[in-house]
Amino acid sequence: MKRLLAISDIHGDLKKFERLLKLVQYNSENDQLLLLGDYVDRGLESKQVIDKVIELKKDGAIALIGNHEKMMMDAFQGDPMSLKRWYYNGGIKTLQNYGYDIAKDDAKFWYTTEEMPDLIEMNEEIKEHIQFLHELPYYYETDTHIFVHAGVHPTTLLHETDQHTLVWIREEFHQGYAGPKTVIFGHTPTKYLHNSPEVYFGKNNIIGIDGGCAYGGRLNCLEVESLKIIYVE
C-alpha cells in the first residue's frame, strides 16, 4: 500500500519544496503525493514551482487548486478588480517571476488605493501554466478522507459545493464541520488555528497543514495514515 503524503501552500518557495520531497524520500512508485494548492505568490519562484508540480503530476501526483491559483487565472479574464485583488495578495512577485515589469510593485498600495491597474496580456509561459491550472480539481476524496485547499461547507454536499468555498472558506468550516470523513486542508496558517506552527489536529475531524511557508514559516508534509509530520523550516 502506498504512503499518502499531503503538502500544501508552497507559495513559490521551490527550495523548501525540493528539500521536503528529499527529506520524506518521496518515490512515486511507493507514495501517493497530494498537493493541496497555493503553489504561487509571495515567494520568488512561483513559475518554477508550477513547473515542478507539472512534472510531479505527470509522475502520478494529485494536484489540487488553491485560492491563489484561482486569483491568478481570474486576473487574466478582463476585470481590473480581479487583477488588483491578485496584486495585493502576492501576485506581483509571481508576475515578476514570469518576466513582467510592474510599474507600481507595492502590494500595500494596491490594497489601499482606488486606482485600478491596467490589464495585462498573457505571455507564452504564463499562458501554458494557466491552461494547466484550469485542469486541476478542487478536491480529492477517498473512503475515509477529503483533501481540499481551504475546507468544505459544513452543511452542503461536497459535489454541490461552490468552487469559491472550497478554496476560500475559513471559520465556518473550522468551527462547524462535523462530517464522518477526515478533512485535510491548507489555506489557513496553523498559527491562526492554535497559535503554533505545528500541524493542527482539530477536535472535529479536521487537520490543517499550512505551516506558514509564505511568511517564512514551515512547509509541512503529513503522512496521512501514520499522522507523522515531516517539515522544513
Side-chain angles (χ1 to χ4, degrees):
M1 184 177 176
K2 288 189 172 185
R3 282 192 307 173
L4 277 179
L5 303 173
I7 299 173
S8 192
D9 295 82
I10 300 157
H11 282 294
D13 199 329
L14 181 67
K15 292 179 179 62
K16 272 187 192 169
F17 187 31
E18 291 186 328
R19 278 171 52 210
L20 185 58
L21 291 173
K22 188 174 181 180
L23 192 61
V24 301
Q25 298 180 315
Y26 171 65
N27 182 326
S28 61
E29 292 184 7
N30 303 321
D31 304 318
Q32 178 60 67
L33 181 62
L34 293 123
L35 303 171
L36 308 190
D38 277 11
Y39 313 113
V40 301
D41 298 346
R42 299 202 170 100
L44 298 177
E45 295 184 289
S46 293
K47 176 168 71 77
Q48 291 85 349
V49 170
I50 292 184
D51 281 332
K52 185 70 177 179
V53 172
I54 290 170
E55 174 192 320
L56 290 164
K57 189 172 182 289
K58 285 178 181 175
D59 209 24
I62 294 164
L64 306 181
I65 196 165
N67 61 307
H68 282 261
E69 286 77 52
K70 186 69 169 64
M71 283 189 286
M72 181 176 175
M73 296 184 321
D74 290 347
F76 292 93
Q77 296 301 308
D79 173 22
M81 190 62 224
S82 293
L83 179 59
K84 181 177 177 177
R85 186 178 296 112
W86 190 37
Y87 273 11
Y88 65 67
N89 277 289
I92 291 172
K93 278 194 173 69
T94 299
L95 283 167
Q96 290 170 335
N97 187 206
Y98 281 94
Y100 288 82
D101 181 18
I102 308 299
K104 293 179 181 175
D105 65 350
D106 180 358
K108 195 175 289 186
F109 167 81
W110 289 109
Y111 189 75
T112 55
T113 184
E114 295 295 316
E115 184 179 331
M116 288 290 170
D118 294 329
L119 295 174
I120 52 178
E121 297 292 324
M122 283 189 273
N123 65 27
E124 282 307 307
E125 276 187 308
I126 210 165
K127 186 175 184 180
E128 286 181 19
H129 281 180
I130 284 177
Q131 286 173 343
F132 168 75
L133 296 176
H134 273 288
E135 298 168 4
L136 300 184
Y138 281 77
Y139 65 89
Y140 177 74
E141 189 175 16
T142 71
D143 291 340
T144 54
H145 290 77
I146 296 167
F147 300 86
V148 65
H149 178 64
V152 300
H153 192 274
T155 59
T156 307
L157 292 173
L158 184 56
H159 69 278
E160 294 178 357
T161 303
D162 180 74
Q163 292 175 342
H164 180 87
T165 298
L166 297 172
V167 296
W168 280 104
I169 196 169
R170 293 193 196 270
E171 287 83 2
E172 191 176 5
F173 159 65
H174 303 151
Q175 298 166 12
Y177 178 73
K181 294 188 178 184
T182 300
V183 180
I184 297 176
F185 67 102
H187 185 53
T188 302
T190 59
K191 68 178 181 180
Y192 298 121
L193 295 168
H194 65 164
N195 200 32
S196 169
E198 303 280 347
V199 166
Y200 173 71
F201 293 93
K203 294 177 182 176
N204 50 342
N205 218 18
I206 66 174
I207 303 175
I209 65 171
D210 177 4
C213 178
Y215 307 100
R218 294 178 178 179
L219 185 62
N220 291 311
C221 177
L222 176 72
E223 285 189 10
V224 175
E225 286 85 3
S226 68
L227 298 181
K228 180 181 178 183
I229 299 136
I230 304 101
Y231 66 88
V232 293
E233 296 277 15

